[in-house]
Amino acid sequence: MTETLVFASAVDPVAPWRTALEGLLPDIRVRTPEEIEPEDDVRYALVWKPPTGFFARHPGLRLVTILGAGADALVGRDDLPDVPVTRLSDPEMARMMTHYVLFAVLRYARDIPTFEAAQRAGRWHYVHPREARQIRVGVLGLGELGSATALELARQGFSVAGWSRTPKALPGIACHAGPDALVPFLAQTEILLVMLPLTPWTRRLIGAAELAALPWGAKLVNVSRGAVIDEAALVAALQSGHVGGATLDVFETEPLADEHPLWEMENVLVTPHLASVAIPASAARQVAENIRRVRTGRAPEQRVDLTRGY
């Protein structure tokens, strides 16, 4: 019997996922919501921010997979069936995230924005480079992607600290945990990497007081979710110079509004939520394996606890 996987995403093309998944599971048909016919046996869903009421149209679902590492878009929905929800955990996604963050950190560590401004002004401007070990990088969030990034930055020679809600231990990383440790962690951070999942507990965790705890001129990189930071407080900190620069891949509302002040700020680099994306050729293997596991009564891997948000 042929089963159907419904694929719903406004940003990911269906064609490469269809090719990869149907190649791995010949008895599966991958369909977009518009392609679903009444006779289709929809058992699986692969989604990114599906519209309201989406899941109610498919009562036969047995597995939902999120097209990414974050689960916040599904938290609190009333149309989700009582089936396992999983997220993607693909080495290629982790590698892509590490590359983006490494680019952002190196750009600040080597004063590239200063040289970009000097070039625009037609001015030869020399800043003596600092050794990587002199530059304090803080990773806010030590989950799968945060830990991989912290370890790579330490391998590159940076002085790396990490903060998480619960205690973690990583070789070569000064790990801090819990609410009481957050401000002291921020106070020692020159380049802050925000890599926390968005949960009720982390929503706007970084507000005006937390930004003020950073050293004057500190840089910030956000690759998690925009709502982890109070965006208005961040704009104010960037305008005052307390936060000297930001590389932002995520925002409270996406796409970023045309009139948003972040567009005009020379000390801000905006990218359109692409620090890490799912690569069908590699990530489809995990989706296919979880379908096999569900078919045989086993628990899928990388299951999400929607009460926690990750």
Side-chain angles (χ1 to χ4, degrees):
M1 179 179 180
T2 299
E3 297 175 332
T4 298
L5 179 148
V6 58
F7 178 96
S9 171
V11 295
D12 301 273
V14 66
W17 284 100
R18 177 178 284 141
T19 299
L21 286 168
E22 292 184 356
L24 292 166
L25 297 169
D27 56 348
I28 287 281
R29 292 294 172 262
V30 177
R31 299 286 185 261
T32 65
E34 298 75 22
E35 296 169 335
I36 296 294
E37 300 290 344
E39 63 272 16
D40 283 326
D41 183 18
V42 181
R43 297 292 187 93
Y44 316 103
L46 182 58
V47 299
W48 180 251
K49 297 183 178 180
T52 301
F54 170 83
F55 295 106
R57 298 196 293 270
H58 307 296
L61 284 173
R62 298 176 60 193
L63 175 69
V64 174
T65 303
I66 304 165
L67 270 164
D72 50 283
L74 297 189
V75 173
R77 293 184 63 127
D78 59 8
D79 61 335
L80 265 173
D82 185 19
V83 300
V85 176
T86 65
R87 63 178 180 83
L88 293 182
S89 175
D90 176 39
E92 291 302 321
M93 291 176 67
R95 184 173 293 112
M96 188 178 292
M97 177 65 80
T98 300
H99 288 169
Y100 182 99
V101 173
L102 187 58
F103 148 77
V105 170
L106 289 172
R107 182 168 174 265
Y108 290 130
R110 294 306 304 268
D111 299 300
I112 300 302
T114 300
F115 303 134
E116 291 170 341
Q119 180 179 342
R120 287 193 296 269
R123 180 170 56 94
W124 184 274
H125 179 65
Y126 182 86
V127 178
H128 198 72
R130 299 166 64 197
E131 294 181 64
R133 64 183 177 85
Q134 297 175 307
I135 299 171
R136 302 187 307 274
V137 181
V139 182
L140 189 68
L142 294 175
E144 183 177 341
L145 295 178
S147 294
T149 299
L151 291 169
E152 177 59 25
L153 290 167
R155 192 182 75 83
Q156 294 290 335
F158 291 98
S159 175
V160 182
W163 182 92
S164 54
R165 186 177 179 184
T166 57
K168 299 286 178 67
L170 294 171
I173 311 299
C175 294
H176 307 266
D180 292 343
L182 179 57
V183 166
F185 160 78
L186 294 171
Q188 297 299 315
T189 297
E190 295 180 57
I191 303 175
L192 177 65
L193 312 179
V194 182
M195 304 192 71
L196 286 167
L198 179 60
T199 70
W201 191 80
T202 64
R203 184 175 293 274
R204 297 198 173 184
L205 177 67
I206 304 302
E210 289 74 25
L211 293 168
L214 291 165
W216 181 270
K219 310 303 191 295
L220 183 148
V221 180
N222 190 4
V223 291
S224 60
R225 292 292 184 268
V228 173
I229 301 175
D230 182 331
E231 207 163 83
L234 176 59
V235 168
L238 286 160
Q239 289 171 334
S240 73
H242 190 92
V243 173
T247 299
L248 305 174
D249 188 54
V250 290
F251 306 89
E252 286 189 357
T253 300
E254 297 177 3
L256 190 64
D258 292 346
E259 68 278 6
H260 201 289
L262 287 170
W263 286 117
E264 303 299 324
M265 304 182 86
E266 290 192 358
N267 58 346
V268 175
L269 175 62
V270 170
T271 58
H273 201 146
L274 48 62
S276 179
V277 299
I279 307 300
S282 56
R285 290 191 291 269
Q286 179 196 326
V287 180
E289 174 58 22
N290 274 340
I291 288 174
R292 295 187 190 103
R293 294 175 73 90
V294 167
R295 282 175 167 176
T296 56
R298 293 176 292 159
E301 297 177 332
Q302 302 299 330
R303 187 166 182 174
V304 169
D305 180 352
L306 292 178
T307 64
R308 295 189 303 172
Y310 57 93

